[in-house]
Amino acid sequence: MSALLRQIPANIPQDIRKIRIENSHLTELPRGSFENVSALEYLWLNFNNITVMHIKSLEYLPALKELRLQGNKLSSVPWTAFQDTPALKILDLKHNRLDVLPEHALRYLPNLTYLDLSSNQLTVISRDVFYNWPVYQRSQRAEGQIEAISNAVLALHDNPWICDCRLRGFVQFIKSVGPPIILMNSYLTCSSPKFRAGKFFHEVELNSCMKPLTSALDTNLTVPVGLNVTLTCFVQASPSPAVWWTYALKLLRAFNVSTEPISEETIRSELLIPAARPADAGNYTCTAANFLGNASVAITLRVGSPWASTTPPGWAPIAPAEPGAHVEVRIAKQTVYGITLEWFAAAAAAADPGETWYTLLVGRYDAAQKDAIYIGPGVNTYSVTDLLPATKYEVCVAVRNQAPRKGQCVVFVTGSDVSQLEQREKLIHIVVIVCAMVLAVPAGMYACTAEARPGCLARCPGA
């Protein structure tokens, strides 16, 4: 007891019948741990740090009647190891970290009369685990007969059970179980989902599992430029599925997606597209998946424009703007993997600054299509991170749904290492050339450093 043992002692006398090592430092049960003590009947290894149990750790123990492993750190047990202990009657595994009970787990425990799996991390169990238990099978065969069968005590309480369709068979087993199988605590409770948390098994009725079925109220939407759009899809499934949205095979960012349950087996998922522009048009796909399969529904979005447009694909048309509207953009800070942008809009650029949205278009300089990032009212800075080193990028800032022109964007090259970054930061602090055009559309700038061509310095005054 409380000894600093790190392994099972060697040279244990062969006629030993009981071994008890508790509150020690055992971390595993290796193969053949007890090969010289075949007379062993009682093995208590409670409150150690055992995390691994070899499939042949109980070899040469045909007389073992009692195995107690309470308070260890086992996340799994090699259940076939009990083929070597046919006489086992008591198995205590409470207060471990078991999270799975395979279908064959109890098949090799024909004489068990006490099984304690309480206070583990079990969430879902198939009823077949117990239907395959020899003790249960004998009880079914002996039903109505005079033959007496000894009782078997089963402890399963204090586990975080997920009470959805996957637990349906197990819940039915618990409700129907009776002597000779006796539950130590028959009031098993649900831990999730939230609307069932704390309920007893005998209070819930679980439905069968169902593959996801997706639908949408409207699969074809047409909206004017600048309007906020919400795409909605409904998913029926059990258990609750994972849901995500894609656009042109690209996974959309989760912060524009909200998913909530509206009934036990139905959830609603919404995708928000703020200030829609023609570049947002296309097919959006809502996909749902659980362990039974997946399903998806596509929603086609068309963005109409009240103004004629000859702008290239990927840019929104330029909306009418107030005379004298302008925006100044600059690089506030640069790191090896990104930059921080700062922009200032004149009062004329936004009649109501508290309601003005900005759109950032970010991508490699030579990319035909750039990612759009929508910035809410009242924000005038944004950090672009996780960029590739030594790569030329372009970032544009637009007011509302207006389209920036190439001369109104920031072009920069990320550093290749930290020393290069330090040099670039010094240059940026010394020379920042703002090419801001006071036009009826947003204005921007080119960031010119020592690496840029000299012609940049000559072009700015002309612009």
Side-chain angles (χ1 to χ4, degrees), residues 293-305:
N294 62 73
S296 60
V297 60
I299 300 176
T300 301
L301 177 66
R302 297 180 180 85
V303 182
S305 174

Side-chain angles (χ1 to χ4, degrees), residues 172-229:
Q172 290 174 342
F173 168 79
I174 294 298
K175 289 179 179 180
S176 64
V177 72
I181 297 177
I182 300 172
L183 291 176
M184 182 182 292
N185 184 344
S186 59
Y187 291 97
L188 303 188
T189 57
C190 304
S191 292
S192 60
K194 285 185 178 181
F195 62 89
R196 287 201 180 105
K199 289 190 175 182
F200 296 119
F201 277 20
H202 64 264
E203 295 178 322
V204 301
E205 290 293 336
L206 303 179
N207 298 324
S208 300
C209 291
M210 179 175 61
K211 179 184 174 180
L213 177 65
T214 55
S215 61
L217 293 177
D218 194 347
T219 56
N220 286 282
L221 291 174
T222 302
V223 297
V225 170
L227 187 70
N228 290 350
V229 183

Side-chain angles (χ1 to χ4, degrees), residues 274-288:
R277 57 195 184 91
D280 294 321
N283 291 328
Y284 292 80
T285 303
C286 170
T287 304

Side-chain angles (χ1 to χ4, degrees), residues 397-447:
V397 181
V399 175
R400 302 186 192 94
N401 58 309
Q402 297 176 353
R405 297 173 182 173
K406 289 298 179 88
Q408 300 162 338
C409 302
V410 174
V411 178
F412 65 96
V413 178
T414 53
S416 58
D417 53 38
V418 174
S419 61
Q420 182 182 2
L421 165 68
E422 292 175 349
Q423 296 173 9
R424 291 177 60 81
E425 283 187 333
K426 290 178 182 177
L427 288 168
I428 288 174
H429 283 299
I430 296 171
V431 181
V432 177
I433 301 175
V434 181
C435 304
M437 297 183 288
V438 183
L439 299 171
V441 292
M445 58 154 275
Y446 276 99

Side-chain angles (χ1 to χ4, degrees), residues 11-334:
N11 303 320
I12 298 175
Q14 293 184 5
D15 58 350
I16 284 289
R17 294 181 179 274
K18 183 174 183 178
I19 293 177
R20 185 174 181 182
I21 303 173
E22 297 184 356
N23 292 298
S24 192
H25 289 215
L26 298 179
T27 58
E28 66 174 324
L29 293 182
R31 179 170 190 157
S33 298
F34 307 96
E35 60 183 349
N36 296 320
V37 285
S38 57
L40 192 66
E41 295 181 6
Y42 304 93
L43 179 57
W44 290 19
L45 299 173
N46 298 322
F47 307 111
N48 285 286
N49 292 307
I50 299 173
T51 57
V52 177
M53 184 176 172
H54 193 274
I55 194 172
K56 287 296 183 181
S57 58
L58 303 178
E59 199 173 13
Y60 310 113
L61 294 178
L64 189 66
K65 297 178 181 178
E66 187 172 321
L67 175 60
R68 295 185 181 271
L69 291 165
Q70 176 186 353
N72 281 282
K73 298 178 180 178
L74 290 166
S75 57
S76 64
V77 170
W79 295 95
T80 52
F82 297 115
Q83 287 178 295
D84 296 319
T85 59
L88 194 65
K89 291 186 176 183
I90 296 176
L91 178 58
D92 185 354
L93 291 167
K94 65 174 169 281
H95 289 292
N96 274 277
R97 300 174 180 177
L98 302 178
D99 55 3
V100 173
L101 211 59
E103 188 175 318
H104 68 271
L106 308 183
R107 188 175 298 170
Y108 307 109
L109 297 164
N111 295 305
L112 208 63
T113 57
Y114 180 94
L115 175 61
D116 195 340
L117 295 169
S118 62
S119 300
N120 276 276
Q121 297 298 315
L122 298 172
T123 55
V124 176
I125 289 184
S126 168
R127 64 183 174 188
D128 292 338
V129 173
F130 300 96
Y131 285 178
N132 291 329
W133 189 14
V135 174
Y136 177 81
Q137 292 175 349
R138 285 200 303 271
S139 71
Q140 297 302 297
R141 287 196 301 267
E143 193 170 341
Q145 299 180 13
I146 303 177
E147 179 187 356
I149 296 182
S150 57
N151 290 333
V153 177
L154 181 61
L156 293 163
H157 54 278
D158 294 333
N159 280 285
W161 302 112
I162 300 176
C163 291
D164 61 23
C165 67
R166 293 168 293 178
L167 208 64
R168 183 171 183 254
F170 176 64
V171 169
Q172 290 174 342
F173 168 79
I174 294 298
K175 289 179 179 180
S176 64
V177 72
I181 297 177
I182 300 172
L183 291 176
M184 182 182 292
N185 184 344
S186 59
Y187 291 97
L188 303 188
T189 57
C190 304
S191 292
S192 60
K194 285 185 178 181
F195 62 89
R196 287 201 180 105
K199 289 190 175 182
F200 296 119
F201 277 20
H202 64 264
E203 295 178 322
V204 301
E205 290 293 336
L206 303 179
N207 298 324
S208 300
C209 291
M210 179 175 61
K211 179 184 174 180
L213 177 65
T214 55
S215 61
L217 293 177
D218 194 347
T219 56
N220 286 282
L221 291 174
T222 302
V223 297
V225 170
L227 187 70
N228 290 350
V229 183
T230 300
L231 308 183
T232 305
C233 83
F234 297 91
V235 182
Q236 285 183 291
S238 183
S240 184
V243 181
W244 64 91
W245 289 81
T246 52
Y247 172 67
L249 301 180
K250 181 179 179 181
L251 186 66
L252 297 178
R253 295 174 178 173
F255 61 75
N256 279 344
V257 176
S258 64
T259 303
E260 61 179 0
I262 57 177
S263 69
E264 184 175 336
E265 295 182 346
T266 306
I267 62 175
R268 177 177 59 218
S269 183
E270 295 181 336
L271 171 66
L272 172 64
I273 303 174
R277 57 195 184 91
D280 294 321
N283 291 328
Y284 292 80
T285 303
C286 170
T287 304
N290 63 16
F291 77 98
L292 288 175
N294 62 73
S296 60
V297 60
I299 300 176
T300 301
L301 177 66
R302 297 180 180 85
V303 182
S305 174
W307 308 291
S309 173
T310 57
T311 56
W315 301 104
I318 300 176
E322 299 82 355
H326 71 278
V327 175
E328 294 184 358
V329 189
R330 73 181 186 93
I331 297 178
K333 182 180 180 181
Q334 182 165 8

Side-chain angles (χ1 to χ4, degrees), residues 344-375:
F344 302 94
D352 186 356
E355 296 295 330
T356 301
W357 282 75
Y358 296 91
T359 303
L360 269 66
L361 297 167
V362 184
R364 296 176 68 139
Y365 180 73
D366 55 356
Q369 198 80 3
K370 293 180 171 57
D371 292 335
I373 301 170
Y374 301 100
I375 308 296

